């Protein structure tokens, strides 16, 4: 598989205008819950019901909202450039897919999948887990949300690091740059010689400066940036 020329990293900010709560903004997810309680293996072991309910609520909330113009614009870009574009998302929602993006890595997992702590299978999942449904493969009742909790290894790291280091253009959209290894990718892209741009409402805690920074809502900044990429192609 050819190395993508353009790598896009997205965070909760790209889904905010679809009505999906972000983490650190006012009223964010972490405001209602402590990270330790709902997003760590230890928290799950301590109180699985609270964790399963937290993710069941998020799965239902995400199912009720649509992708926004930022998601749609990235899918439009993929339609033109194909494998030249790779989207790496920290988000566990499926709004990129529902907008049409296919070249996508969910580095922190997906609400649309479960993970069997018994046999390790990761079946597509669309209903609650609080009632401990049986695993479709091994029958055990040890299904958890297929999300990467703090202290757990993110998905697809080799493919991600190869793409980020090898790309020509690295774009960061709607992320605060607080969580690693994702927060270190602008530095990796810069080390690989990429031109880097941040599209974000507020300054992020980026490890190294971006070549270009644009402030504003993703639903405005992303379609405008995609139009620039496609200028002369359409
Ligand atoms: C790991 C899934 C071993 C669950 C998530 C190095 C230094 C320090 C610490 C560490 C380190 N390396 C590892 C760590 C520990 C830890 C970490 O980073 N801790 C932090 C808190 C210091 N990392 C880990 O544990 C990771 N695992 O390291 O494994 C390893 C790995 C590799 C190699 C060797 C060993 C696993 C971390 C994953 C945890 N799971 N999510 C769930 O979703 O519930 S993290 C979760 O929080 C998200 O996925 C995301 O990553 C993060 C939230 O950040 P954002 O998405 O950026 O959202 P946020 O609300 O913060 O910001 C929103 C932004 O959007 C803001 O800037 C805002 O201005 C902007 N915005 C808002 N609205 C809009 C907008 N922008 C545009 N338009 C708008 N409308």
């Amino acid at each position: 598989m050819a190395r993508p020329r353009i790598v896009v990293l997205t965070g909760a900010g790209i889904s905010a205008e679809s009505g999906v709560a972000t983490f650190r903004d006012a009223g964010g997810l972490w405001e209602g819950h402590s990270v330790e309680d709902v997003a760590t293996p230890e928290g799950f072991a301590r109180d699985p019901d609270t964790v399963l309910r937290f993710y069941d609520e998020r799965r239902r909330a995400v199912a009720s909202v649509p992708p926004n113009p930022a998601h749609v614009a990235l899918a439009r870009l993929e339609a033109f450039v194909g494998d030249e574009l790779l989207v790496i998302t920290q988000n566990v929602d499926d709004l990129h897919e529902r907008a049409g993006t296919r070249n996508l890595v969910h580095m922190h997992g997906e609400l649309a999948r479960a993970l069997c702590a018994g046999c390790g299978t990761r079946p597509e999942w669309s209903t609650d887990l609080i009632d401990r449904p049986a695993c479709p493969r091994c029958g055990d009742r040890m299904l958890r949300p297929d999300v990467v909790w703090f202290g757990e290894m993110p998905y697809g790291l080799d493919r991600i690091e190869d793409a980020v280091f090898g790309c020509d253009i690295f774009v960061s959209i709607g992320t605060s740059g607080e969580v690693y290894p994702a927060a270190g990718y602008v530095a990796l892209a810069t080390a690989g010689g990429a031109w880097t741009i941040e599209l974000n409402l507020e300054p992020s805690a980026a490890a190294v400066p971006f070549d270009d920074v644009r402030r504003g809502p993703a639903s405005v900044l992303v379609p405008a940036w995609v139009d620039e990429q496609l200028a002369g192609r359409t």
Side-chain angles (χ1 to χ4, degrees), residues 154-167:
Y155 289 124
L157 288 183
D158 295 344
R159 179 182 178 197
I160 289 171
E161 286 160 11
D162 182 63
V164 169
F165 186 72
C167 68

Side-chain angles (χ1 to χ4, degrees), residues 1-203:
M1 185 188 291
R3 274 187 166 159
R5 191 173 60 78
I6 306 170
V7 170
V8 173
L9 174 70
T10 66
I14 198 172
S15 296
E17 294 162 86
S18 291
V20 178
T22 65
F23 291 76
R24 286 174 180 74
D25 298 335
L29 283 169
W30 297 148
E31 228 171 55
H33 303 271
S34 85
V35 174
E36 287 69 30
D37 288 348
V38 293
T40 62
E42 298 77 19
F44 183 60
R46 225 179 11 252
D47 180 358
D49 282 7
T50 296
V51 173
L52 292 173
R53 222 173 274 115
F54 174 66
Y55 287 99
D56 285 348
E57 279 158 21
R58 288 174 65 189
R59 188 179 301 103
R60 269 186 258 112
V62 163
S64 67
V65 298
N68 66 60
H71 300 104
V72 172
L74 291 177
R76 183 161 57 91
L77 178 59
E78 184 186 293
F80 271 95
V81 304
D83 289 349
E84 287 181 39
L85 172 67
L86 177 68
V87 176
I88 300 164
T89 188
Q90 300 168 77
N91 300 342
V92 293
D93 65 54
D94 61 349
L95 296 176
H96 280 301
E97 292 93 327
R98 284 158 50 194
T101 289
R102 292 292 165 270
N103 298 343
L104 176 67
V105 180
H106 276 277
M107 71 179 294
H108 292 165
E110 306 170 61
L111 291 169
R113 280 183 188 282
L115 170 62
C116 178
C119 71
T121 193
R122 299 169 59 207
E124 289 184 6
W125 206 269
S126 58
T127 55
D128 288 0
L129 290 172
I130 188 74
D131 314 320
R132 304 298 195 284
C135 167
R137 184 164 80 173
C138 73
D140 280 356
R141 296 181 177 282
M142 299 166 66
L143 292 175
R144 54 167 271 186
D146 185 24
V147 296
V148 176
W149 285 324
F150 287 93
E152 294 184 324
M153 188 68 78
Y155 289 124
L157 288 183
D158 295 344
R159 179 182 178 197
I160 289 171
E161 286 160 11
D162 182 63
V164 169
F165 186 72
C167 68
D168 301 336
I169 301 174
F170 177 81
V171 189
S172 177
I173 304 171
T175 184
S176 60
E178 305 264 355
V179 173
Y180 287 78
Y185 291 155
V186 58
L188 182 62
T190 302
W195 189 80
T196 63
I197 176 171
E198 180 178 67
L199 309 177
N200 220 55
L201 209 51
E202 298 148 326

